[in-house]
Amino acid sequence: MSIARSLLLKASRSQWLARQASERAFAKKAVRKFMPGEELSDALDASASLKADGFGAVLTQLGESLTGISEADAVRDHYLALFDEVKRRELPIQVSVKPTQLGLDHSLEECRTHLLTLTEKARTTGGFLWLDMEDSSYVDRTLDLYRSMRANYDRVGLALQAYLRRTPADVAALLPLKPSIRLVKGAYAEPVSVAFEAKRETDLAYFDIALTLLGASAKGQCYTILGTHDIGLLARLTARAAEIGAKDGDWEIHMLYGIRTADQRALSAAGRKVRVLISYGRKWFPWYMRRLAERPANVWFVVRSALAG
Ligand code: FDA
């Protein structure tokens, strides 16, 4: 891992830096590169524009690691209202949540109850609920939560991270559930004992795991999401998908708002199903630091925003 990436990921865990950044106008300006605005209405408006251009969206409210379990009630209620609003506005929006945002650090069972409530809401409103994957200390519990959700509901999916050495085994264990899986490379600082250190190793693992998922999708055993902006990798996987019989309706591509926008349009124009994940909310600091860590050159954009006042 590069020094810049490692420093940015370390900074992402600083409460002090989070407080400083959220009060600085230049930081708020810089963060707009990756989010249409802090309010839910900003994300809904952006989703409506994306719909007009043929894209679906996935919405997530930023915020992780609550200070107390009672905060999770408000998060649950926020998402319940969001499912209703999405139905009312007839927008092609799915929802993605982080287990820690629903209290996983405080109570696995309360987090499970909240997730099942949201899953039921997704079912009754025709929505879809995704579980993000956080750092490796949460993987076992997140898989356990996903199994509970999947036991009774179809419209639920899970993110898995290609950089984790365990992921091929997790995929094999999940496939009998006919899961929906969003494969991403992985965004956290992890010890080399659990995750690949070299980007090249992660990229190779991504390709292999994605082929397994696409193969399962071709047989109706999985719904595959390729959650990446790596255009070369997507081109290779798209070619292989056709060879192994995974049709366009069996899989799709998800990318983050503000990243590789021209490529999102080109992929959509070429017939791929593309969804854009839009984040909103005031607690953007740790998430924003992870975006900077993915491409430390982004830091220059922040510096330019600061100098411009
Ligand atoms: P890679 O890092 O190789 O980037 C490929 C190219 O994309 C770069 O060369 C650059 O051009 C562009 N790019 C990538 N990141 C950029 C950035 N921040 N700024 C500007 N350009 C950038 N992670 C996780 O651990 N748990 C999760 O639940 C999720 N969920 C998730 C959902 C979706 C829809 C996406 C797209 C990503 C995630 N992630 C995630 C993040 C993921 O793990 C990963 O950190 C990023 O997607 C960056 O990796 P890429 O696959 O894009 O490849």
Side-chain angles (χ1 to χ4, degrees):
M1 186 186 300
S2 76
I3 294 173
R5 178 166 148 77
S6 147
L7 283 175
L8 288 163
L9 289 176
K10 201 167 173 196
S12 75
R13 296 194 295 272
S14 163
Q15 302 282 342
W16 182 82
L17 279 176
R19 273 195 306 280
Q20 298 300 313
S22 58
E23 287 161 12
R24 300 283 188 276
F26 79 84
K28 284 188 175 211
K29 190 170 147 202
V31 88
R32 288 295 288 270
K33 184 171 154 63
F34 297 119
M35 62 194 281
E38 291 186 347
E39 305 304 324
L40 171 59
S41 56
D42 298 319
L44 288 168
D45 291 348
S47 305
S49 305
L50 284 165
K51 180 186 175 190
D53 290 338
F55 294 94
V58 182
L59 259 54
T60 191
Q61 187 192 28
L62 296 171
E64 43 204 80
S65 302
L66 308 177
T67 51
I69 184 69
S70 57
E71 284 179 43
D73 291 355
V75 176
R76 177 205 56 205
D77 292 347
H78 173 87
Y79 284 120
L80 287 173
L82 173 56
F83 277 115
D84 283 331
E85 184 63 9
V86 166
K87 185 168 185 221
R88 194 185 68 76
R89 289 182 59 164
E90 297 183 346
L91 289 168
I93 290 178
Q94 302 180 340
V95 172
S96 201
V97 296
K98 288 192 180 1
T100 61
Q101 204 182 9
L102 287 155
L104 181 56
D105 284 324
H106 304 274
S107 163
L108 175 63
E109 292 318 315
E110 286 197 44
C111 180
R112 193 188 318 271
T113 303
H114 289 321
L115 284 171
L116 291 174
T117 304
L118 291 178
T119 312
E120 171 64 15
K121 186 70 169 181
R123 188 185 67 75
T124 56
T125 54
F128 193 103
L129 183 64
W130 288 98
L131 269 189
D132 286 354
M133 188 60 81
E134 299 173 81
D135 76 49
S136 60
S137 67
Y138 295 110
V139 176
D140 283 326
R141 285 172 288 168
T142 305
L143 292 174
D144 175 16
L145 292 167
Y146 181 68
R147 283 178 178 278
S148 300
M149 294 158 71
R150 185 68 190 94
N152 294 303
Y153 299 96
D154 290 333
R155 303 183 64 80
V156 290
L158 170 74
L160 291 179
Q161 298 151 324
Y163 67 3
L164 292 185
R165 297 175 191 277
R166 61 178 287 170
T167 296
D170 289 336
V171 167
L174 284 167
L175 282 180
L177 306 181
K178 292 197 176 177
S180 293
I181 294 182
R182 176 214 291 158
L183 184 65
V184 300
K185 289 191 185 174
Y188 296 82
E190 297 290 356
V192 68
S193 54
V194 299
F196 301 116
E197 197 173 19
K199 182 171 165 7
R200 190 178 145 65
E201 281 183 287
T202 299
D203 291 354
L204 289 172
Y206 192 106
F207 184 80
D208 288 345
I209 299 164
L211 272 193
T212 304
L213 293 174
L214 289 166
S217 288
K219 292 187 232 145
Q221 293 166 351
C222 173
Y223 192 71
T224 302
I225 305 299
L226 302 178
T228 180
H229 316 93
D230 189 332
I231 299 302
L233 186 56
L234 283 172
R236 292 195 296 283
L237 285 167
T238 304
R240 292 288 282 130
E243 285 166 24
I244 60 180
K247 300 179 294 301
D248 280 346
D250 296 333
W251 62 281
E252 52 189 272
I253 296 167
H254 290 187
M255 292 194 187
L256 302 180
Y257 179 91
I259 299 183
R260 294 256 188 178
T261 307
D263 289 307
Q264 292 174 14
R265 288 181 181 280
L267 286 163
S268 174
R272 304 282 86 75
K273 204 167 168 191
V274 182
R275 264 181 200 274
V276 178
L277 194 154
I278 302 176
S279 300
Y280 60 93
R282 306 222 166 104
K283 297 181 182 167
W284 42 257
F285 183 76
W287 161 86
Y288 183 56
M289 285 293 112
R290 291 197 293 274
R291 301 292 78 81
L292 294 185
E294 282 156 5
R295 195 160 174 266
N298 286 337
V299 172
W300 291 112
F301 183 77
V302 184
V303 173
R304 277 204 304 277
S305 300
L307 293 176

